[in-house]
Amino acid sequence: DIPPFEFGHLETYCPISIGGIKGMGEGGAIASPVAVANAISDSLASFGWKPLTRLPASPEVVHALRGGGGNAA
């Protein structure tokens, strides 16, 4: 069951952008890096690697997660 809820909409003008708009398209870009980081952590956990706790997930950062556990690739 889901409790009742209300949607609200609040418009605020941005004085420094063209047309006063802001926040165009940022919502979809927030979760993607986190999803990739979780996928990396989940895939390496079975090898005993440490979890990924920071981004960007460069090869050096990911390799440092090995921390003595797992098999050599």
Side-chain angles (χ1 to χ4, degrees):
D1 292 333
I2 299 175
F5 55 90
E6 293 182 27
F7 287 99
H9 187 75
L10 176 64
E11 294 182 18
T12 57
Y13 177 79
C14 180
I16 60 171
S17 68
I18 297 172
I21 59 174
K22 61 181 176 179
M24 299 295 292
E26 290 138 352
I30 295 171
S32 301
V34 176
V36 171
N38 282 330
I40 293 170
S41 288
D42 290 346
S43 66
L44 297 176
S46 63
F47 297 107
W49 290 33
K50 299 174 188 172
L52 179 63
T53 58
R54 64 185 175 114
L55 292 173
S58 66
E60 294 81 14
V61 170
V62 173
H63 188 265
L65 301 176
R66 184 165 182 231
N71 298 324

